[in-house]
Amino acid sequence: MSDDGHEQTGHGGVPSRQRRRFPGISSRAYEHPADRSALVALRKLSGFDTVFKALSALLPERSLRLLFLSDSVRVSEQQFAHLNVMLLDACYILDLEKVPPMYVNQDPQPNAMCIGLDEPVIVVTTGLVELLDEEEMRAVVGHEVGHALSGHAVYRTILLFLTSLAVRVAWIPLGNLAIMAIVTALREWFRKSELSADRAGLLVGQDVQASMRGLMKIAGGNHLHEMNVDAFLQQAEEYESSGDLRDSVLKILNVLPRSHPFTTVRAAELKKWSQSRDFQRLMDGHYPRRSEDKDTSVSDSFRESASHYANHVKTSKDPLMKLVSDLADGAGDLGSRMRRGFGGFAGPPPSEGGSPKDTPPREED
């Protein structure tokens, strides 16, 4: 691995073990197609630009920075030095020249975030620091640096502010509905952005097993000897494919209030990407550069995202997605398939003495 130009980046140390660096890498190299499409859709949301500009002036970002400075521990050579090395390492590998400030906040809940409008700030909780080992934590730091490189911190900050605001104005029916519409759109985008940041974490750590372990421990705690990565990934397979249309609807309802995808889903998505041709090409040094970002086409991004979604629907084992795919291919009768999917809600089948019009349609082979 070459260290050329390392001293000009302002980073204090090179990676602690032999890993590939990605000079000039664009966030497009690791962004999940759904992240890009959701972000474009978010910006197309009626009135969002107006709200964004207004909030940018209103958000108490300076107050937030002062709060972290006064009531958290700033990572440096003197404090949490091992995290400081990881932060410099991650910025070096992803070629992020300006190292964002990083704070450790006292909170037993394992969590990390990257927020800020003008400049990103990374915050990790003591619960996370105590839960993960060095390589697992390295992936998390890379995850947050990926958020910073992608510009996700801006929208994360607005999401936090609007979620808090929605609670305060819950008594105003129309005002609350308008805010919650934007919050819902932001959450949908942010769930997709987490998949992108997971990929950035893998590019920094370059240890897929460590990334898997970290996600598994976030789900099940510090009992690694009681857990198994393959079994954990099997849960994701079962989650996607089991059940009927009722379960598909329940999955949607369960994920709507969340800002992050479920951990098993994140693990499965990351594992799949680590085995893809795109990841291998990236590791071989073939990736888009930031210098080319200005030449990218929004329509091309939409087409790529549309292709991703179409392929996802076609290959998904989720009952609802399979129904959509079959209908798109002209297979079966919609009414018949919907009744079979939601059969549990319809009660017992009619008796043999029922009239012909009450008899369920005959299933085709």
Side-chain angles (χ1 to χ4, degrees), residues 329-340:
D329 292 338
D333 170 71
L334 175 60
S336 172
R337 296 178 68 82
M338 289 291 285
R339 278 192 290 272
R340 291 203 302 273

Side-chain angles (χ1 to χ4, degrees), residues 3-38:
D3 292 334
D4 291 345
H6 173 64
E7 294 301 327
Q8 289 142 9
T9 66
H11 304 149
V14 297
S16 60
R17 60 180 173 81
Q18 191 78 3
R19 273 172 291 140
R20 180 173 294 279
R21 185 181 181 232
F22 307 98
I25 189 171
S26 167
S27 61
R28 292 180 292 116
Y30 59 80
E31 283 173 345
H32 192 284
D35 174 13
R36 290 196 293 272
S37 63

Side-chain angles (χ1 to χ4, degrees), residues 106 108 125-132 222:
Q106 169 62 27
T125 65
T126 51
L128 189 67
V129 174
E130 293 163 4
L131 177 66
L132 304 181
N222 193 18

Side-chain angles (χ1 to χ4, degrees), residues 30-42 152 185 188-196 199 269 301-302 304-309 312:
Y30 59 80
E31 283 173 345
H32 192 284
D35 174 13
R36 290 196 293 272
S37 63
L39 188 54
V40 170
L42 179 66
H152 292 157
E188 168 60 18
W189 161 74
F190 199 77
R191 286 191 293 270
K192 300 302 186 289
S193 75
E194 285 298 305
L195 301 178
S196 297
R199 294 177 174 187
E269 285 281 346
S301 177
F302 265 122
E304 182 184 352
S305 299
S307 174
H308 164 79
Y309 277 119
H312 173 70

Side-chain angles (χ1 to χ4, degrees), residues 27 30-31 35 90 94 96 114 122 139-153 193 196-201 204:
S27 61
Y30 59 80
E31 283 173 345
D35 174 13
L94 294 181
L96 184 63
C114 182
I122 296 173
V140 169
V141 174
H143 174 112
E144 299 306 327
V145 170
H147 275 314
L149 183 58
S150 290
H152 292 157
S193 75
S196 297
D198 284 343
R199 294 177 174 187
V204 168

Side-chain angles (χ1 to χ4, degrees), residues 61-79:
E61 184 175 12
R62 294 177 69 89
S63 175
L64 195 63
R65 290 177 181 275
L66 287 171
L67 180 63
F68 287 129
L69 190 62
S70 63
D71 205 33
S72 299
V73 176
R74 183 166 59 192
V75 172
S76 66
E77 292 181 0
Q78 293 78 35
Q79 302 184 117

